[in-house]
Amino acid sequence: MLEVSHISKSFGSKNVLQDVSLTFEENKIYGLLGRNGAGKSTLLNIITNRIFPDTGEVKIDSENVNDNDAKLGLMFLMSEVNLYPNGSTLNQIIADTELIYGSFDYAFAKKLAQKFELDLTSKFGKLSTGYNSIFKLILALSVPVKFVLLDEPVLGLDANHREMFYSELIQSYTDHPRTFIISTHLIEEVANLISDVIVLDEGRTMLDQPVEEVLAKTHSVVGPETDVTAYTKGLNVIGHDNIGTIRVDYVYGDLDDRQLPDTVKISNFDLQKLFIFLTNQFEGSRHYEN
Amino acid sequence: MLEVSHISKSFGSKNVLQDVSLTFEENKIYGLLGRNGAGKSTLLNIITNRIFPDTGEVKIDSENVNDNDAKLGLMFLMSEVNLYPNGSTLNQIIADTELIYGSFDYAFAKKLAQKFELDLTSKFGKLSTGYNSIFKLILALSVPVKFVLLDEPVLGLDANHREMFYSELIQSYTDHPRTFIISTHLIEEVANLISDVIVLDEGRTMLDQPVEEVLAKTHSVVGPETDVTAYTKGLNVIGHDNIGTIRVDYVYGDLDDRQLPDTVKISNFDLQKLFIFLTNQFEGSRHYEN
């Protein structure tokens, strides 16, 4: 179990993370969502000891990870920042990675490189944005760690490569269950992949729940304007659309047993839409759960 | 009308574009889709005279655009490449852009900057990836051109900013109809925005049709494996899924009047899925329309 307790971090006068506490359980796939600047990358860097928090701590199985090589070796962070020398071949970087992590699934890495048509004798510095991501994903899926942290894993990938990555991730997870933490702006594409969703907003935890429970609380209420607004009165309406005389109210939370008029229809809406409404500064007050 | 006739272009031994001919009509929104490396950016750069084709020509209203300032002034290309000096403020870049294009919709640009929370007194070089895109989008929507070409417009934008951009684009198009050509990897997000879809594949035109017509030809055929394969025999099956004993065949093309078994259900599938199947090298032979 990976525990993040009361982490705060400022850069200059900007409070990037404010008292964030989270628990990542074994063999779950977490989606870490947030606006640009919400603190996602900072959190992933703090978890893996690349930068240090002002206050708070990170523990694996109750042991602080700080300067703790045994615990740090259980985590791998794939991030946008390039840590590898441009002049090294991909094979050399794989060999160096094995030195750090003790073993490496060469067979799997080769199979993935073939599927993605990546030549492992290429130099790292020569890779396009898309292939840079692909190579780092191959590393992340081939190291023997318990916690795989992916920061914007599909940046620059075309639709085919994204789909291939998601399906390889599921296969790899099925073969060797472990914990994934995936930070991404392509929310709908991971909605069926993740078991739990965490939303950071301006450095604070806004949501931390199983996806199924979150989606069960989304209700789009569609019908004639007066009927819809009468029905949703007092409910937690987080956004709305108007299409001519038809109104859609987006509700987040449990519906009580109020009477539904025949003219009004209710269905669920998707995770990306929920995220946008919850984190949109123009939709009025924010709706924190924690 | 913007016409691209028989454009070919090689870089070294690589044929990036091979005899591409396309017509962009006035006041339509085109989606220009393709795998990484399919030639989309090269085509957009050739159209706007930033690079020159080996053969072929680009015309606006029957006049070649080559070194033709009057015609080139009718087009604006927003691309990933940064053409602006890092030390300039955004306001200075706007003033320079107005010098080139003759006028600039300051009121609209200011409104957008406010909505996206972009400070126009910032220096261009200080913008994050997301805000770099946002600023270039504001320029693209505020110049008085007939053809707006957008290359990966939402790169680095979070879900809220992407949705805001799509809705501002529709509003701007409604207020001042003109032609948009949008190249993007986020196909599902633009599927409802574009009127026509162009797919480039390895430098050639694979598809060039109204979205509605394209989607009407997509059929996912779901049911017990033997019933499905018997039904789709002879049809243009471009992909399939197996979920236990259930099979899904993805058909692209017209269905004839063959008898549908009761066990089999047919519905349409989405543009991103179609794109992936059509351009996937692992799904066997390719399916060209032109």
Side-chain angles (χ1 to χ4, degrees):
Chain A
M1 198 161 83
L2 172 62
E3 273 173 292
V4 169
S5 312
H6 303 292
I7 294 281
S8 293
K9 177 73 182 177
S10 303
F11 291 114
S13 64
K14 183 158 169 48
N15 298 321
V16 177
L17 294 173
Q18 297 178 64
D19 197 29
V20 171
S21 295
L22 294 165
T23 301
F24 299 96
E25 288 172 31
E26 276 180 33
N27 306 339
K28 282 193 168 185
I29 304 181
Y30 292 85
L32 177 63
L33 311 180
R35 300 287 311 262
N36 273 326
K40 305 182 300 296
S41 298
T42 304
L43 179 63
L44 295 176
N45 278 302
I46 286 175
I47 290 175
T48 50
N49 224 216
R50 288 195 194 173
I51 58 176
F52 299 99
D54 298 333
T55 58
E57 56 180 357
V58 179
K59 288 179 178 176
I60 292 181
D61 299 335
S62 310
E63 238 181 81
N64 197 310
V65 302
N66 208 355
D67 283 327
N68 182 336
D69 285 346
K71 294 303 180 194
L72 291 174
L74 298 174
M75 300 188 281
F76 184 92
L77 169 59
M78 176 252 182
S79 75
E80 278 188 64
V81 183
N82 290 327
L83 297 173
Y84 309 111
N86 282 331
S88 296
T89 68
L90 307 185
N91 277 321
Q92 283 165 341
I93 294 171
I94 289 175
D96 292 347
T97 305
E98 174 158 44
L99 283 180
I100 297 169
Y101 285 94
S103 75
F104 190 89
D105 192 341
Y106 280 99
F108 186 61
K110 275 186 190 152
K111 196 196 81 182
L112 285 185
Q114 207 161 26
K115 281 199 175 180
F116 283 100
E117 301 177 89
L118 173 63
D119 179 0
L120 293 177
T121 65
S122 317
K123 292 219 159 104
F124 182 70
K126 297 282 184 195
L127 301 179
S128 66
T129 311
Y131 273 104
N132 184 304
S133 295
I134 287 169
F135 174 61
K136 292 191 287 192
L137 286 171
I138 291 176
L139 285 184
L141 293 180
S142 305
V143 286
V145 295
K146 285 174 98 169
F147 300 94
V148 183
L149 291 69
L150 305 173
D151 195 5
E152 290 293 334
V154 296
L155 196 80
L157 267 60
D158 61 35
N160 310 50
H161 278 159
R162 295 202 305 277
E163 193 181 79
M164 208 186 284
F165 163 64
Y166 299 132
S167 105
E168 291 298 334
L169 176 73
I170 293 172
Q171 189 58 51
S172 170
Y173 171 79
T174 309
D175 295 344
H176 308 286
R178 53 208 193 277
T179 303
F180 286 89
I181 307 174
I182 305 172
S183 168
T184 184
H185 289 309
L186 301 190
I187 298 172
E188 264 321 285
E189 293 199 346
V190 297
N192 292 319
L193 199 76
I194 60 179
S195 54
D196 290 71
V197 58
I198 294 163
V199 176
L200 286 188
D201 187 56
E202 300 193 333
R204 294 193 289 159
T205 312
M206 180 187 258
L207 202 70
D208 175 14
Q209 275 184 355
V211 175
E212 243 175 73
E213 288 176 23
V214 169
L215 291 179
K217 287 196 275 183
T218 66
H219 311 283
S220 65
V221 183
V222 187
E225 174 136 24
T226 44
D227 296 355
V228 166
T229 49
Y231 175 78
T232 60
K233 201 173 172 197
L235 294 176
N236 184 28
V237 178
I238 57 173
H240 71 270
D241 276 329
N242 280 87
I243 308 146
T245 61
I246 296 295
R247 182 178 172 103
V248 188
D249 270 2
Y250 298 96
V251 174
Y252 185 59
D254 297 322
L255 303 175
D256 46 33
D257 53 4
R258 57 185 67 191
Q259 187 74 37
L260 185 70
D262 290 345
T263 52
V264 174
K265 296 267 168 284
I266 297 190
S267 54
N268 293 115
F269 59 94
D270 67 42
L271 193 61
Q272 182 155 311
K273 214 167 179 74
L274 175 67
F275 172 84
I276 290 173
F277 285 133
L278 289 180
T279 61
N280 214 335
Q281 291 155 47
F282 299 97
E283 294 288 333
S285 65
R286 302 194 168 207
H287 308 266
Y288 287 88
E289 290 253 318
N290 292 47
Chain B
M1 199 161 84
L2 171 62
E3 274 173 292
V4 169
S5 312
H6 303 292
I7 293 282
S8 293
K9 177 72 183 177
S10 303
F11 291 115
S13 63
K14 182 155 170 50
N15 299 320
V16 177
L17 293 173
Q18 297 179 62
D19 196 29
V20 171
S21 294
L22 294 165
T23 302
F24 298 96
E25 289 172 30
E26 277 179 32
N27 307 339
K28 282 194 169 186
I29 304 181
Y30 292 86
L32 177 63
L33 311 180
R35 301 285 314 260
N36 272 326
K40 304 183 300 295
S41 298
T42 303
L43 179 63
L44 295 176
N45 278 302
I46 286 174
I47 290 175
T48 50
N49 224 216
R50 288 197 195 171
I51 59 176
F52 299 99
D54 298 334
T55 59
E57 57 181 355
V58 179
K59 288 178 180 177
I60 291 181
D61 298 336
S62 310
E63 238 182 80
N64 198 310
V65 302
N66 209 355
D67 283 327
N68 183 335
D69 286 344
K71 295 302 179 196
L72 291 174
L74 299 175
M75 300 188 280
F76 184 91
L77 169 59
M78 176 250 179
S79 75
E80 277 188 67
V81 182
N82 289 328
L83 297 172
Y84 309 111
N86 282 331
S88 296
T89 67
L90 307 184
N91 277 321
Q92 284 166 342
I93 295 171
I94 288 176
D96 294 346
T97 304
E98 174 158 45
L99 283 181
I100 298 170
Y101 286 95
S103 75
F104 190 89
D105 192 341
Y106 280 98
F108 186 62
K110 273 184 193 157
K111 196 196 82 181
L112 286 184
Q114 207 162 27
K115 280 199 175 180
F116 283 101
E117 299 177 271
L118 173 62
D119 178 1
L120 294 176
T121 65
S122 317
K123 292 220 158 100
F124 182 70
K126 298 282 183 193
L127 300 179
S128 66
T129 310
Y131 273 103
N132 184 303
S133 296
I134 287 168
F135 174 62
K136 292 191 288 193
L137 287 172
I138 292 176
L139 285 184
L141 293 181
S142 306
V143 287
V145 296
K146 286 174 98 168
F147 300 95
V148 183
L149 292 70
L150 306 173
D151 195 4
E152 290 292 334
V154 297
L155 196 78
L157 266 59
D158 61 35
N160 310 50
H161 279 160
R162 295 200 305 277
E163 193 182 79
M164 207 186 287
F165 163 63
Y166 299 132
S167 105
E168 291 298 334
L169 176 71
I170 293 172
Q171 189 58 51
S172 170
Y173 171 79
T174 309
D175 294 344
H176 309 285
R178 53 207 193 278
T179 304
F180 286 90
I181 307 174
I182 305 171
S183 168
T184 184
H185 289 310
L186 301 190
I187 299 172
E188 265 320 284
E189 292 199 346
V190 297
N192 292 320
L193 199 75
I194 60 179
S195 53
D196 289 71
V197 58
I198 294 164
V199 177
L200 286 187
D201 187 57
E202 298 192 335
R204 293 192 290 161
T205 313
M206 180 187 256
L207 201 69
D208 176 14
Q209 274 182 359
V211 175
E212 242 175 75
E213 288 177 24
V214 169
L215 291 180
K217 288 197 276 184
T218 64
H219 310 284
S220 64
V221 183
V222 186
E225 173 136 24
T226 44
D227 297 354
V228 166
T229 50
Y231 175 78
T232 60
K233 201 174 174 195
L235 294 177
N236 183 27
V237 178
I238 57 173
H240 71 269
D241 276 329
N242 280 87
I243 308 147
T245 61
I246 297 296
R247 182 178 172 103
V248 188
D249 270 2
Y250 298 96
V251 174
Y252 184 60
D254 296 323
L255 302 175
D256 48 31
D257 52 5
R258 58 185 65 192
Q259 186 73 38
L260 184 71
D262 289 344
T263 52
V264 174
K265 296 268 169 285
I266 298 190
S267 54
N268 294 115
F269 58 94
D270 67 43
L271 193 62
Q272 182 155 312
K273 215 170 179 73
L274 174 67
F275 172 85
I276 290 173
F277 285 133
L278 288 179
T279 61
N280 214 334
Q281 292 155 44
F282 299 96
E283 293 288 334
S285 64
R286 299 193 172 210
H287 308 266
Y288 287 88
E289 290 253 314
N290 292 44

